[in-house]
Short mmCIF file of all heavy atoms in Angstrom, two decimals:
data_model
loop_
_atom_site.label_atom_id
_atom_site.label_comp_id
_atom_site.label_asym_id
_atom_site.label_seq_id
_atom_site.Cartn_x
_atom_site.Cartn_y
_atom_site.Cartn_z
N TYR R 1 27.28 156.65 -109.55
CA TYR R 1 26.94 158.11 -109.30
C TYR R 1 25.45 158.35 -109.48
O TYR R 1 25.07 159.35 -110.05
CB TYR R 1 27.80 158.99 -110.24
CG TYR R 1 29.23 159.10 -109.76
CD1 TYR R 1 30.13 158.09 -109.96
CD2 TYR R 1 29.65 160.21 -109.08
CE1 TYR R 1 31.44 158.16 -109.51
CE2 TYR R 1 30.99 160.35 -108.58
CZ TYR R 1 31.85 159.30 -108.86
OH TYR R 1 33.09 159.42 -108.37
N TYR R 2 24.63 157.43 -108.96
CA TYR R 2 23.14 157.63 -109.01
C TYR R 2 22.84 158.94 -108.35
O TYR R 2 23.37 159.28 -107.29
CB TYR R 2 22.55 156.44 -108.29
CG TYR R 2 21.04 156.57 -108.00
CD1 TYR R 2 20.12 156.75 -109.03
CD2 TYR R 2 20.54 156.63 -106.68
CE1 TYR R 2 18.76 156.86 -108.80
CE2 TYR R 2 19.18 156.81 -106.44
CZ TYR R 2 18.32 156.92 -107.51
OH TYR R 2 16.96 157.04 -107.23
N LYS R 3 21.96 159.71 -108.97
CA LYS R 3 21.60 161.06 -108.46
C LYS R 3 20.11 161.06 -108.14
O LYS R 3 19.29 161.36 -109.05
CB LYS R 3 21.96 162.11 -109.49
CG LYS R 3 23.44 162.11 -109.93
CD LYS R 3 23.62 163.15 -111.03
CE LYS R 3 25.08 163.09 -111.58
NZ LYS R 3 25.38 161.81 -112.21
N PRO R 4 19.71 160.82 -106.94
CA PRO R 4 18.29 161.06 -106.62
C PRO R 4 17.91 162.51 -106.89
O PRO R 4 18.78 163.37 -106.73
CB PRO R 4 18.21 160.73 -105.10
CG PRO R 4 19.44 159.90 -104.80
CD PRO R 4 20.50 160.38 -105.76
N ASP R 5 16.72 162.75 -107.32
CA ASP R 5 16.29 164.11 -107.54
C ASP R 5 16.42 164.94 -106.23
O ASP R 5 16.45 164.41 -105.09
CB ASP R 5 14.86 164.19 -108.09
CG ASP R 5 14.79 163.58 -109.50
OD1 ASP R 5 15.77 163.46 -110.15
OD2 ASP R 5 13.65 163.31 -109.90
N LEU R 6 16.49 166.27 -106.40
CA LEU R 6 16.89 167.08 -105.27
C LEU R 6 15.87 168.21 -104.99
O LEU R 6 15.36 168.84 -105.91
CB LEU R 6 18.26 167.73 -105.56
CG LEU R 6 18.91 168.64 -104.54
CD1 LEU R 6 19.11 167.86 -103.20
CD2 LEU R 6 20.20 169.19 -105.01
N PHE R 7 15.53 168.33 -103.71
CA PHE R 7 14.65 169.43 -103.22
C PHE R 7 15.44 170.34 -102.34
O PHE R 7 16.02 169.80 -101.33
CB PHE R 7 13.40 168.88 -102.52
CG PHE R 7 12.44 168.12 -103.40
CD1 PHE R 7 12.59 166.74 -103.56
CD2 PHE R 7 11.43 168.80 -104.02
CE1 PHE R 7 11.70 166.07 -104.40
CE2 PHE R 7 10.54 168.11 -104.86
CZ PHE R 7 10.67 166.77 -105.09
N ILE R 8 15.45 171.63 -102.60
CA ILE R 8 16.26 172.57 -101.82
C ILE R 8 15.30 173.55 -101.20
O ILE R 8 14.60 174.29 -101.88
CB ILE R 8 17.29 173.30 -102.61
CG1 ILE R 8 18.22 172.27 -103.35
CG2 ILE R 8 18.09 174.25 -101.81
CD1 ILE R 8 19.11 172.91 -104.37
N ILE R 9 15.26 173.63 -99.86
CA ILE R 9 14.49 174.62 -99.15
C ILE R 9 15.28 175.98 -99.22
O ILE R 9 16.36 176.09 -98.67
CB ILE R 9 14.29 174.25 -97.67
CG1 ILE R 9 13.66 172.87 -97.51
CG2 ILE R 9 13.42 175.32 -96.95
CD1 ILE R 9 12.26 172.74 -98.02
N ASP R 10 14.72 176.93 -99.90
CA ASP R 10 15.37 178.22 -100.11
C ASP R 10 14.31 179.33 -100.12
O ASP R 10 14.06 179.96 -101.14
CB ASP R 10 16.19 178.19 -101.44
CG ASP R 10 17.09 179.38 -101.58
OD1 ASP R 10 17.33 180.11 -100.58
OD2 ASP R 10 17.59 179.63 -102.70
N LEU R 11 13.68 179.58 -98.97
CA LEU R 11 12.57 180.45 -98.93
C LEU R 11 12.83 181.87 -99.42
O LEU R 11 12.01 182.55 -99.98
CB LEU R 11 11.99 180.50 -97.49
CG LEU R 11 11.42 179.18 -96.97
CD1 LEU R 11 10.82 179.41 -95.58
CD2 LEU R 11 10.42 178.61 -97.90
N ASN R 12 14.07 182.34 -99.20
CA ASN R 12 14.46 183.69 -99.60
C ASN R 12 15.43 183.76 -100.81
O ASN R 12 15.99 184.78 -101.12
CB ASN R 12 15.08 184.43 -98.38
CG ASN R 12 14.15 184.58 -97.22
OD1 ASN R 12 13.01 185.05 -97.41
ND2 ASN R 12 14.55 184.13 -96.08
N LEU R 13 15.53 182.63 -101.49
CA LEU R 13 16.37 182.50 -102.68
C LEU R 13 17.75 183.03 -102.47
O LEU R 13 18.20 183.98 -103.11
CB LEU R 13 15.71 183.19 -103.91
CG LEU R 13 14.46 182.43 -104.43
CD1 LEU R 13 13.83 183.19 -105.62
CD2 LEU R 13 14.81 181.02 -104.86
N LYS R 14 18.50 182.36 -101.57
CA LYS R 14 19.90 182.76 -101.31
C LYS R 14 20.90 181.75 -101.76
O LYS R 14 22.06 181.81 -101.48
CB LYS R 14 20.06 182.90 -99.80
CG LYS R 14 19.27 184.13 -99.24
CD LYS R 14 19.57 184.31 -97.77
CE LYS R 14 18.86 185.55 -97.20
NZ LYS R 14 19.17 185.81 -95.77
N LEU R 15 20.40 180.80 -102.65
CA LEU R 15 21.34 179.80 -103.16
C LEU R 15 22.33 180.48 -104.07
O LEU R 15 22.01 181.30 -104.94
CB LEU R 15 20.51 178.77 -104.03
CG LEU R 15 21.24 177.47 -104.41
CD1 LEU R 15 21.51 176.62 -103.17
CD2 LEU R 15 20.45 176.72 -105.45
N LYS R 16 23.61 180.14 -103.89
CA LYS R 16 24.68 180.74 -104.63
C LYS R 16 24.57 180.41 -106.13
O LYS R 16 24.11 179.35 -106.49
CB LYS R 16 26.03 180.27 -104.11
CG LYS R 16 26.40 180.81 -102.75
CD LYS R 16 27.76 180.29 -102.32
CE LYS R 16 28.13 180.82 -100.91
NZ LYS R 16 29.42 180.30 -100.46
N LYS R 17 24.98 181.33 -106.97
CA LYS R 17 24.91 181.11 -108.47
C LYS R 17 25.99 180.24 -108.98
O LYS R 17 25.83 179.65 -110.05
CB LYS R 17 24.92 182.47 -109.13
CG LYS R 17 23.73 183.35 -108.73
CD LYS R 17 23.83 184.76 -109.38
CE LYS R 17 22.62 185.64 -108.92
NZ LYS R 17 22.75 186.99 -109.53
N LYS R 18 27.16 180.15 -108.29
CA LYS R 18 28.28 179.34 -108.73
C LYS R 18 28.41 178.13 -107.80
O LYS R 18 29.13 178.18 -106.81
CB LYS R 18 29.53 180.16 -108.75
CG LYS R 18 29.49 181.29 -109.84
CD LYS R 18 30.83 182.01 -109.92
CE LYS R 18 30.77 183.12 -110.99
NZ LYS R 18 32.05 183.83 -111.05
N LEU R 19 27.73 177.03 -108.12
CA LEU R 19 27.78 175.82 -107.35
C LEU R 19 28.07 174.64 -108.27
O LEU R 19 27.64 174.67 -109.44
CB LEU R 19 26.47 175.60 -106.59
CG LEU R 19 26.15 176.58 -105.48
CD1 LEU R 19 24.68 176.38 -105.05
CD2 LEU R 19 27.06 176.36 -104.27
N LEU R 20 28.61 173.57 -107.76
CA LEU R 20 28.88 172.42 -108.55
C LEU R 20 27.60 171.77 -109.07
O LEU R 20 27.54 171.37 -110.22
CB LEU R 20 29.63 171.38 -107.72
CG LEU R 20 31.08 171.69 -107.40
CD1 LEU R 20 31.62 170.58 -106.43
CD2 LEU R 20 31.96 171.78 -108.64
N LEU R 21 26.53 171.78 -108.29
CA LEU R 21 25.30 171.17 -108.76
C LEU R 21 24.62 171.94 -109.92
O LEU R 21 23.85 171.40 -110.64
CB LEU R 21 24.37 170.91 -107.57
CG LEU R 21 23.70 172.09 -106.83
CD1 LEU R 21 22.44 172.57 -107.52
CD2 LEU R 21 23.37 171.64 -105.42
N ASN R 22 24.97 173.25 -110.03
CA ASN R 22 24.39 174.00 -111.16
C ASN R 22 24.84 173.44 -112.47
O ASN R 22 24.21 173.71 -113.52
CB ASN R 22 24.76 175.49 -111.02
CG ASN R 22 24.06 176.16 -109.89
OD1 ASN R 22 23.06 175.66 -109.39
ND2 ASN R 22 24.57 177.29 -109.45
N LYS R 23 26.00 172.72 -112.46
CA LYS R 23 26.55 172.20 -113.75
C LYS R 23 25.86 170.90 -114.15
O LYS R 23 26.09 170.47 -115.31
CB LYS R 23 28.08 172.02 -113.58
CG LYS R 23 28.83 173.24 -113.24
CD LYS R 23 30.31 172.93 -113.04
CE LYS R 23 31.08 174.23 -112.74
NZ LYS R 23 32.56 173.92 -112.48
N ILE R 24 25.12 170.31 -113.32
CA ILE R 24 24.45 169.00 -113.63
C ILE R 24 22.96 169.08 -113.59
O ILE R 24 22.28 168.06 -113.46
CB ILE R 24 24.97 167.86 -112.71
CG1 ILE R 24 24.64 168.17 -111.24
CG2 ILE R 24 26.45 167.66 -112.90
CD1 ILE R 24 24.86 167.01 -110.35
N LEU R 25 22.39 170.27 -113.66
CA LEU R 25 20.93 170.43 -113.55
C LEU R 25 20.19 169.71 -114.65
O LEU R 25 19.02 169.31 -114.49
CB LEU R 25 20.61 171.90 -113.55
CG LEU R 25 20.96 172.68 -112.30
CD1 LEU R 25 20.64 174.14 -112.46
CD2 LEU R 25 20.30 172.10 -111.07
N LYS R 26 20.83 169.52 -115.84
CA LYS R 26 20.18 168.86 -116.93
C LYS R 26 20.17 167.32 -116.73
O LYS R 26 19.43 166.67 -117.44
CB LYS R 26 20.90 169.19 -118.27
CG LYS R 26 20.77 170.64 -118.65
CD LYS R 26 21.48 170.94 -119.99
CE LYS R 26 21.32 172.37 -120.35
NZ LYS R 26 22.03 172.65 -121.66
N LYS R 27 20.90 166.85 -115.78
CA LYS R 27 21.04 165.40 -115.54
C LYS R 27 20.20 164.90 -114.38
O LYS R 27 20.06 163.73 -114.15
CB LYS R 27 22.50 165.02 -115.30
CG LYS R 27 23.38 165.33 -116.53
CD LYS R 27 24.80 164.89 -116.19
CE LYS R 27 25.74 165.19 -117.39
NZ LYS R 27 27.14 164.81 -117.13
N ARG R 28 19.58 165.81 -113.64
CA ARG R 28 18.65 165.42 -112.53
C ARG R 28 17.67 166.50 -112.29
O ARG R 28 17.95 167.72 -112.51
CB ARG R 28 19.47 165.18 -111.25
CG ARG R 28 19.88 166.43 -110.56
CD ARG R 28 21.01 166.18 -109.52
NE ARG R 28 20.58 165.47 -108.39
CZ ARG R 28 21.35 165.42 -107.24
NH1 ARG R 28 22.55 166.05 -107.20
NH2 ARG R 28 20.98 164.69 -106.24
N LYS R 29 16.50 166.18 -111.83
CA LYS R 29 15.48 167.17 -111.51
C LYS R 29 15.86 167.83 -110.18
O LYS R 29 16.10 167.09 -109.21
CB LYS R 29 14.12 166.53 -111.43
CG LYS R 29 13.53 166.13 -112.79
CD LYS R 29 12.13 165.56 -112.65
CE LYS R 29 11.58 165.11 -113.98
NZ LYS R 29 10.24 164.49 -113.81
N THR R 30 15.86 169.13 -110.15
CA THR R 30 16.23 169.86 -108.97
C THR R 30 15.22 170.91 -108.71
O THR R 30 14.93 171.76 -109.54
CB THR R 30 17.63 170.48 -109.04
OG1 THR R 30 18.57 169.43 -109.34
CG2 THR R 30 18.00 171.13 -107.71
N TYR R 31 14.60 170.89 -107.54
CA TYR R 31 13.46 171.79 -107.19
C TYR R 31 13.93 172.84 -106.17
O TYR R 31 14.65 172.46 -105.18
CB TYR R 31 12.32 171.06 -106.62
CG TYR R 31 11.66 170.08 -107.60
CD1 TYR R 31 12.20 168.76 -107.77
CD2 TYR R 31 10.49 170.38 -108.32
CE1 TYR R 31 11.59 167.84 -108.57
CE2 TYR R 31 9.93 169.46 -109.17
CZ TYR R 31 10.46 168.20 -109.28
OH TYR R 31 9.89 167.29 -110.17
N LEU R 32 13.58 174.08 -106.34
CA LEU R 32 13.73 175.08 -105.34
C LEU R 32 12.40 175.38 -104.65
O LEU R 32 11.43 175.66 -105.37
CB LEU R 32 14.32 176.39 -105.93
CG LEU R 32 15.79 176.46 -106.19
CD1 LEU R 32 16.17 177.84 -106.75
CD2 LEU R 32 16.63 176.16 -104.97
N ILE R 33 12.39 175.26 -103.32
CA ILE R 33 11.12 175.54 -102.60
C ILE R 33 11.27 176.91 -102.00
O ILE R 33 12.12 177.17 -101.15
CB ILE R 33 10.92 174.43 -101.47
CG1 ILE R 33 10.82 173.09 -102.19
CG2 ILE R 33 9.71 174.77 -100.62
CD1 ILE R 33 10.97 171.94 -101.27
N THR R 34 10.44 177.84 -102.41
CA THR R 34 10.56 179.21 -102.04
C THR R 34 9.22 179.87 -101.78
O THR R 34 8.20 179.32 -102.12
CB THR R 34 11.41 180.04 -103.09
OG1 THR R 34 11.69 181.31 -102.61
CG2 THR R 34 10.61 180.13 -104.39
N LYS R 35 9.27 181.13 -101.24
CA LYS R 35 8.05 181.86 -100.91
C LYS R 35 7.43 182.41 -102.15
O LYS R 35 8.13 182.79 -103.13
CB LYS R 35 8.33 182.98 -99.92
CG LYS R 35 8.67 182.46 -98.51
CD LYS R 35 8.87 183.68 -97.58
CE LYS R 35 9.23 183.15 -96.18
NZ LYS R 35 9.48 184.34 -95.29
N LYS R 36 6.15 182.53 -102.17
CA LYS R 36 5.45 183.16 -103.31
C LYS R 36 5.83 184.57 -103.56
O LYS R 36 5.75 185.07 -104.66
CB LYS R 36 3.93 183.06 -103.11
CG LYS R 36 3.42 181.61 -103.22
CD LYS R 36 1.90 181.53 -103.09
CE LYS R 36 1.43 180.07 -103.24
NZ LYS R 36 -0.03 179.93 -103.16
N SER R 37 6.33 185.27 -102.50
CA SER R 37 6.68 186.68 -102.65
C SER R 37 7.99 186.83 -103.50
O SER R 37 8.34 187.93 -103.83
CB SER R 37 6.93 187.34 -101.28
OG SER R 37 7.88 186.60 -100.54
N ASN R 38 8.66 185.70 -103.76
CA ASN R 38 9.89 185.76 -104.54
C ASN R 38 9.72 185.49 -106.02
O ASN R 38 10.69 185.19 -106.68
CB ASN R 38 10.89 184.69 -103.96
CG ASN R 38 11.38 184.98 -102.59
OD1 ASN R 38 11.50 186.15 -102.24
ND2 ASN R 38 11.54 183.99 -101.76
N ASP R 39 8.51 185.64 -106.51
CA ASP R 39 8.19 185.29 -107.91
C ASP R 39 9.16 185.92 -108.90
O ASP R 39 9.59 185.25 -109.86
CB ASP R 39 6.77 185.66 -108.24
CG ASP R 39 5.75 184.68 -107.68
OD1 ASP R 39 6.25 183.67 -107.05
OD2 ASP R 39 4.54 184.94 -107.71
N LYS R 40 9.50 187.16 -108.70
CA LYS R 40 10.43 187.87 -109.68
C LYS R 40 11.83 187.29 -109.70
O LYS R 40 12.48 187.20 -110.75
CB LYS R 40 10.44 189.34 -109.37
CG LYS R 40 9.14 190.08 -109.67
CD LYS R 40 9.26 191.57 -109.40
CE LYS R 40 7.91 192.28 -109.66
NZ LYS R 40 8.04 193.72 -109.32
N LYS R 41 12.29 186.84 -108.49
CA LYS R 41 13.61 186.30 -108.42
C LYS R 41 13.74 184.90 -109.00
O LYS R 41 14.86 184.46 -109.33
CB LYS R 41 14.04 186.20 -106.95
CG LYS R 41 14.19 187.58 -106.23
CD LYS R 41 14.69 187.29 -104.78
CE LYS R 41 14.86 188.59 -104.04
NZ LYS R 41 15.34 188.36 -102.64
N THR R 42 12.60 184.21 -109.20
CA THR R 42 12.67 182.84 -109.65
C THR R 42 13.09 182.75 -111.15
O THR R 42 13.49 181.67 -111.60
CB THR R 42 11.34 182.17 -109.49
OG1 THR R 42 10.31 182.83 -110.29
CG2 THR R 42 10.88 182.11 -108.03
N ILE R 43 12.94 183.80 -111.91
CA ILE R 43 13.23 183.78 -113.33
C ILE R 43 14.68 183.34 -113.58
O ILE R 43 14.94 182.46 -114.46
CB ILE R 43 13.00 185.14 -113.99
CG1 ILE R 43 11.53 185.53 -113.88
CG2 ILE R 43 13.39 185.16 -115.46
CD1 ILE R 43 11.15 186.87 -114.34
N PHE R 44 15.62 183.88 -112.87
CA PHE R 44 17.01 183.49 -113.04
C PHE R 44 17.23 182.01 -112.79
O PHE R 44 17.92 181.31 -113.54
CB PHE R 44 17.92 184.33 -112.09
CG PHE R 44 19.33 183.88 -112.05
CD1 PHE R 44 20.23 184.22 -113.10
CD2 PHE R 44 19.81 183.06 -111.04
CE1 PHE R 44 21.51 183.77 -113.07
CE2 PHE R 44 21.12 182.60 -111.02
CZ PHE R 44 21.94 182.97 -112.00
N TYR R 45 16.59 181.49 -111.67
CA TYR R 45 16.83 180.09 -111.31
C TYR R 45 16.16 179.19 -112.35
O TYR R 45 16.65 178.09 -112.61
CB TYR R 45 16.34 179.85 -109.88
CG TYR R 45 17.21 180.51 -108.84
CD1 TYR R 45 16.84 181.72 -108.32
CD2 TYR R 45 18.38 179.95 -108.41
CE1 TYR R 45 17.61 182.35 -107.32
CE2 TYR R 45 19.17 180.54 -107.46
CZ TYR R 45 18.81 181.74 -106.91
OH TYR R 45 19.61 182.35 -105.98
N LYS R 46 15.03 179.56 -112.83
CA LYS R 46 14.35 178.82 -113.84
C LYS R 46 15.20 178.65 -115.14
O LYS R 46 15.33 177.59 -115.73
CB LYS R 46 13.01 179.41 -114.22
CG LYS R 46 11.91 179.16 -113.22
CD LYS R 46 10.59 179.76 -113.73
CE LYS R 46 9.44 179.42 -112.81
NZ LYS R 46 8.21 179.99 -113.30
N LYS R 47 15.90 179.77 -115.49
CA LYS R 47 16.78 179.75 -116.63
C LYS R 47 17.97 178.84 -116.45
O LYS R 47 18.45 178.18 -117.38
CB LYS R 47 17.26 181.17 -116.98
CG LYS R 47 16.15 182.06 -117.57
CD LYS R 47 16.73 183.46 -117.94
CE LYS R 47 15.67 184.29 -118.57
NZ LYS R 47 16.16 185.66 -118.89
#
């Protein structure tokens, strides 16, 4: 179950909050690529 790190293109931060990969974020580095205008929305995803 090797897990390469993950990059997700999500310019408008529409990634669902209840996903299987959200449960394993501590086991692999996962990056969200988003627009600078979304700075306020990023707080939830950072947490």
Side-chain angles (χ1 to χ4, degrees):
Y1 284 76
Y2 170 63
K3 303 175 186 65
D5 291 344
L6 182 60
F7 292 91
I8 303 171
I9 307 293
D10 190 12
L11 296 184
N12 298 308
L13 288 180
K14 292 185 177 181
L15 192 70
K16 290 179 180 179
K17 298 177 181 179
K18 294 183 179 180
L19 292 168
L20 290 174
L21 67 84
N22 289 343
K23 299 178 181 179
I24 60 169
L25 291 175
K26 294 181 180 179
K27 297 181 179 180
R28 77 197 291 193
K29 289 182 181 178
T30 305
Y31 298 83
L32 280 184
I33 299 165
T34 188
K35 289 182 180 179
K36 290 185 177 181
S37 60
N38 292 326
D39 284 354
K40 292 182 180 179
K41 293 183 180 180
T42 62
I43 297 174
F44 171 80
Y45 291 97
K46 282 184 177 180
K47 288 182 177 178

